[in-house]
C-alpha cells in the first residue's frame, strides 16, 4: 500500500523544527552583525522601519505614554497610574504596592510587563507597563531644587483598534485624566499647613510644613442651626461648581467668610467641617509672623489650589494708633460698604435670574432701611441731653480729676441726694471730703 500524495506533502516534525532552528540562528547571526558593524543611530532607524512595516499589516494602534517628557514629568503617565489602580484584576499574579510620602493609604500599581484590559464605550483597550535601560540622565524632581538621577525609562503602552484613534485621544484620555483626579482626591489625606520656623532663614524650600488633618467635625455632627447649615453647604456647592463662571466674568475664584465669637463657640469646628466636606487642605496663617507685604504675597502664592486659608485673629494682628477712630471707620464701612461689592455677591447667590433680582431688591431695601435708622440714631446722639429727674450723673472734679457720683434734680441740676459711699469734692479748695 502506497502513502497518499497529500500525506507525502506534509513535512515531518523533525523537518519543521530544523527549519525553525535554522531561521533563528540566521536571525541571531544577522542581529550580531548589525550590532557590531552598524552605528546605533542606523540600527534604530532600521528597526523603526521594520516595526512600521510589520504594523502596517496590523489593525492595532499603540500609544506610548512615557514617565518623562524630555526632562519634565508627564502628567498623563501619573494619571494613568492612578486610573489603572482600581481596575487591577483580582487574579493578577504580580503587582507593586507602596505607601507614598505623607499619605496614610497604600498605593497599588502594575509591575513590569503586566497588562490590564479596560473597556470604554464598548471599545476594548489594553494597557501594558514596560521599562527599558537608558544612559544615566537627570530630570526635574518634585521639589524643583535637586534634580533626580535615573537610569531607566518607565512607560505605558496603550493598544486598541486603529479605527478608534480619534475617540481614544479626544474622549478616552480626557476621561482617564478626570477620573484620576477624582481618585487622587478620594485617597489623599487632608493636610493642615503651618508656617515653618526657619522660613525666613533663606535656606530655600517650602515655607509651609504639614501634618495630617484628622479633625472629626462634619456638617452631620456640627451643632448648628439647620437652616444656617443648609445655607452654608449650598453656598459651598455653588462656589465649587462656578470655577468656569468666575473665569468668564474675570473674578478670582475665591470665597470669604468672617467668623467671630469668643473661644469655644465652634469656629474651628466649622472650618474643619468645611474642609472635610470639600476635601480641601487648611493653611493656618498668623499675620503677626509676617514682617512685610512681600512675605504675605509670597505665602499666598505658595498655597495650593482648592485649599482653605485661615487667618487667625485678624482684628488683633494690625497695630492701630487710634483704636477709637479706627473702630468708627470700620463700623461705618460695615454699614456702608462699596456698592459694587454686597451687589456683586448678591448676583452670585443663585442661578435663577428672577430669584437673583428679587433678592437684590430686598437687599437694597434692607440697606436703605438700615441707613435711615443709623442716620436717625446719629441725629439723636448729636442732641444735648438734659439731666432727667432721678438720673444718676457723674461729675469730674476740675482740681484732682476724681469722679463724684451725684443724683441731680431734673429742674435745676442741684444735688438732692449723694450716693452712699461716694466722694464729693469741696468747691472751695478741691479737697476730697468723705460723706
Amino acid at each position: 500500500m502506497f502513502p497518499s500524495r497529500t500525506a507525502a506533502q506534509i513535512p515531518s516534525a523533525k523537518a519543521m523544527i530544523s527549519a525553525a532552528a535554522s531561521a533563528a540562528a540566521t536571525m541571531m547571526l544577522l542581529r550580531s552583525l548589525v550590532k557590531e558593524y552598524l552605528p546605533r543611530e542606523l540600527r534604530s532607524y532600521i528597526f523603526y522601519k521594520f516595526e512600521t512595516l510589520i504594523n502596517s499589516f496590523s489593525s492595532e494602534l499603540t500609544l506610548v505614554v512615557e514617565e518623562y517628557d524630555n526632562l519634565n514629568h508627564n502628567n498623563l503617565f501619573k494619571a494613568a497610574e492612578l486610573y489603572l489602580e482600581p481596575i487591577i484584576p483580582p487574579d493578577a499574579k504580580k503587582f507593586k504596592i507602596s505607601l507614598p510620602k505623607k499619605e496614610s493609604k497604600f498605593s497599588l500599581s502594575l509591575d513590569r510587563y503586566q497588562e490590564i484590559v479596560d473597556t470604554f464605550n464598548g471599545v476594548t483597550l489594553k494597557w501594558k507597563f514596560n521599562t527599558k535601560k537608558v544612559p544615566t540622565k537627570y530630570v526635574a524632581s518634585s521639589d524643583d531644587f535637586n534634580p533626580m538621577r535615573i537610569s531607566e525609562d518607565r512607560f505605558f503602552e496603550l493598544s486598541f483598534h486603529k479605527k478608534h484613534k480619534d475617540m481614544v485621544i479626544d474622549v478616552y484620555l480626557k476621561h482617564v485624566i478626570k477620573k484620576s483626579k477624582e481618585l487622587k482626591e478620594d485617597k489623599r489625606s487632608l493636610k493642615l499647613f503651618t508656617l515653618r520656623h526657619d522660613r525666613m532663614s533663606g535656606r530655600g524650600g517650602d515655607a509651609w510644613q504639614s501634618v495630617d488633618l484628622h479633625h472629626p467635625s462634619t456638617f452631620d455632627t456640627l451643632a448648628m442651626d439647620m437652616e444656617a447649615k443648609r445655607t452654608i453647604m449650598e453656598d459651598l456647592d455653588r462656589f465649587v461648581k462656578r470655577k468656569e463662571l468666575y473665569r468668564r466674568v474675570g473674578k478670582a475664584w475665591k470665597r470669604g467668610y468672617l467668623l467671630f465669637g469668643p473661644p469655644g463657640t465652634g469656629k474651628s469646628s466649622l472650618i474643619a467641617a468645611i474642609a472635610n466636606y470639600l476635601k480641601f487642605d487648611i493653611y493656618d496663617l498668623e499675620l503677626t509672623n509676617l514682617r512685610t507685604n512681600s512675605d504675605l504675597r509670597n505665602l499666598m502664592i505658595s498655597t495650593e489650589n482648592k485649599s482653605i486659608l485661615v487667618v487667625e485673629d485678624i482684628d488683633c494682628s494690625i497695630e492701630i494708633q487710634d483704636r477709637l477712630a479706627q473702630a468708627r471707620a470700620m463700623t461705618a464701612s460695615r454699614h456702608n460698604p462699596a456698592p459694587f461689592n454686597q451687589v456683586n455677591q448678591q448676583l452670585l447667590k443663585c442661578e435663577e435670574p428672577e430669584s437673583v433680582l428679587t433678592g437684590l431688591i430686598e437687599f437694597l431695601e434692607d440697606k436703605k432701611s438700615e441707613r435711615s435708622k443709623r442716620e436717625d440714631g446719629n441725629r439723636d446722639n448729636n442732641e444735648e441731653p438734659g439731666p432727667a429727674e432721678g438720673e444718676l450723673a457723674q461729675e469730674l472734679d476740675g482740681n484732682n480729676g476724681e469722679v463724684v457720683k451725684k443724683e441731680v434734680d431734673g429742674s435745676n441740676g442741684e444735688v438732692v441726694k449723694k450716693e452712699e459711699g461716694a466722694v464729693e469734692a469741696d468747691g472751695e479748695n478741691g479737697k476730697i471730703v468723705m460723706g
Side-chain angles (χ1 to χ4, degrees):
M1 194 172 177
F2 298 97
S4 66
R5 187 176 179 181
T6 303
Q9 290 178 345
I10 299 177
S12 64
K14 182 177 180 181
M16 292 178 63
I17 294 175
S18 177
S22 177
T26 303
M27 291 298 296
M28 293 295 293
L29 177 61
L30 288 175
R31 182 177 180 182
S32 299
L33 292 174
V34 167
K35 188 174 182 180
E36 184 174 355
Y37 294 105
L38 292 181
R40 185 165 60 90
E41 293 78 7
L42 182 57
R43 294 201 310 268
S44 299
Y45 178 76
I46 293 175
F47 290 147
Y48 169 76
K49 285 297 184 180
F50 181 73
E51 186 178 8
T52 302
L53 178 63
I54 297 299
N55 290 337
S56 65
F57 296 100
S58 173
S59 61
E60 189 176 75
L61 180 64
T62 300
L63 301 181
V64 178
V65 183
E66 296 181 327
E67 183 177 13
Y68 294 97
D69 179 17
N70 293 325
L71 299 180
N72 298 312
H73 288 271
N74 184 356
N75 293 331
L76 184 56
F77 179 88
K78 186 60 179 177
E81 278 191 319
L82 291 168
Y83 175 78
L84 294 174
E85 180 176 351
I87 62 174
I88 294 178
D91 58 347
K93 302 297 184 183
K94 189 178 182 182
F95 54 84
K96 295 187 296 184
I97 184 170
S98 62
L99 183 63
K101 184 180 180 181
K102 296 185 179 180
E103 296 294 342
S104 57
K105 297 181 180 180
F106 291 107
S107 209
L108 304 179
S109 60
L110 289 176
D111 196 16
R112 187 168 48 180
Y113 309 135
Q114 300 297 304
E115 293 184 357
I116 286 182
V117 177
D118 188 23
T119 303
F120 180 77
N121 290 346
V123 177
T124 300
L125 306 105
K126 183 174 66 176
W127 290 88
K128 184 177 181 180
F129 179 66
N130 278 321
T131 64
K132 65 179 180 181
K133 294 292 183 180
V134 295
T136 300
K137 60 183 178 181
Y138 292 87
V139 297
S141 62
S142 58
D143 58 14
D144 292 331
F145 288 100
N146 300 313
M148 186 167 60
R149 180 176 177 268
I150 63 172
S151 58
E152 73 172 7
D153 280 344
R154 305 194 308 157
F155 57 94
F156 286 105
E157 291 181 346
L158 174 60
S159 302
F160 50 90
H161 197 287
K162 61 175 62 176
K163 68 180 180 181
H164 300 303
K165 173 185 175 183
D166 292 339
M167 186 279 294
V168 171
I169 294 177
D170 297 335
V171 182
Y172 178 68
L173 291 181
K174 291 181 180 178
H175 164 74
V176 169
I177 293 175
K178 180 181 178 182
K179 191 67 177 179
S180 68
K181 291 180 179 178
E182 295 174 0
L183 293 169
K184 183 179 180 181
E185 289 299 314
D186 289 340
K187 69 183 299 185
R188 79 180 182 91
S189 301
L190 293 182
K191 304 294 182 183
L192 172 62
F193 290 87
T194 56
L195 286 180
R196 299 175 61 95
H197 295 297
D198 58 349
R199 66 179 186 83
M200 302 296 264
S201 63
R203 289 167 51 184
D206 198 349
W208 300 96
Q209 58 186 359
S210 67
V211 296
D212 287 347
L213 178 65
H214 297 300
H215 200 293
S217 179
T218 65
F219 280 111
D220 292 332
T221 62
L222 198 63
M224 187 178 184
D225 178 75
M226 292 301 297
E227 183 63 23
K229 187 186 301 186
R230 183 185 63 81
T231 300
I232 293 176
M233 295 173 67
E234 290 178 352
D235 185 70
L236 292 172
D237 292 335
R238 189 164 47 242
F239 166 71
V240 171
K241 292 188 296 186
R242 284 180 167 182
K243 181 178 181 180
E244 192 62 25
L245 173 62
Y246 276 73
R247 186 190 66 80
R248 289 203 309 269
V249 300
K251 283 182 60 67
W253 189 45
K254 61 182 180 181
R255 194 81 173 102
Y257 296 94
L258 177 62
L259 307 182
F260 60 93
T265 53
K267 300 186 294 297
S268 298
S269 296
L270 177 58
I271 294 171
I274 293 175
N276 288 323
Y277 183 71
L278 297 179
K279 301 296 183 184
F280 283 10
D281 292 330
I282 296 178
Y283 288 81
D284 189 14
L285 175 63
E286 292 188 12
L287 295 181
T288 52
N289 293 331
L290 305 180
R291 300 176 183 175
T292 65
N293 289 335
S294 297
D295 289 343
L296 177 60
R297 188 181 302 110
N298 292 334
L299 289 175
M300 295 289 286
I301 293 174
S302 64
T303 58
E304 295 289 340
N305 291 332
K306 293 189 175 181
S307 60
I308 300 172
L309 178 66
V310 180
V311 183
E312 299 277 0
D313 299 327
I314 190 171
D315 57 331
C316 301
S317 302
I318 304 173
E319 293 184 1
I320 302 174
Q321 298 297 330
D322 186 352
R323 285 188 174 272
L324 182 58
Q326 185 71 13
R328 289 173 178 168
M330 292 175 65
T331 302
S333 65
R334 282 198 298 267
H335 289 294
N336 188 24
F340 174 76
N341 289 334
Q342 296 280 8
V343 173
N344 200 6
Q345 293 298 326
Q346 288 296 316
L347 292 176
L348 289 172
K349 269 192 172 181
C350 185
E351 303 285 348
E352 296 289 335
E354 270 188 38
S355 300
V356 169
L357 293 177
T358 301
L360 178 60
I361 292 172
E362 293 176 354
F363 169 77
L364 294 176
E365 288 177 347
D366 290 342
K367 288 301 175 183
K368 182 179 179 181
S369 176
E370 289 178 7
R371 182 176 180 180
S372 299
K373 292 178 181 179
R374 187 171 64 255
E375 290 175 349
D376 291 343
N378 291 338
R379 281 196 297 269
D380 293 341
N381 291 334
N382 290 334
E383 294 177 359
E384 288 292 337
E389 184 174 0
E391 180 181 0
L392 187 64
Q394 290 186 341
E395 286 185 2
L396 185 65
D397 177 57
N399 295 324
N400 54 20
E402 293 290 341
V403 174
V404 181
K405 296 183 179 180
K406 299 178 180 178
E407 189 174 349
V408 296
D409 179 71
S411 58
N412 54 21
E414 293 180 353
V415 176
V416 296
K417 181 181 178 183
K418 184 170 65 175
E419 185 184 12
E420 183 179 357
V423 293
E424 187 175 31
D426 186 338
E428 295 181 356
N429 54 22
K431 292 182 179 180
I432 301 297
V433 290
M434 301 300 297

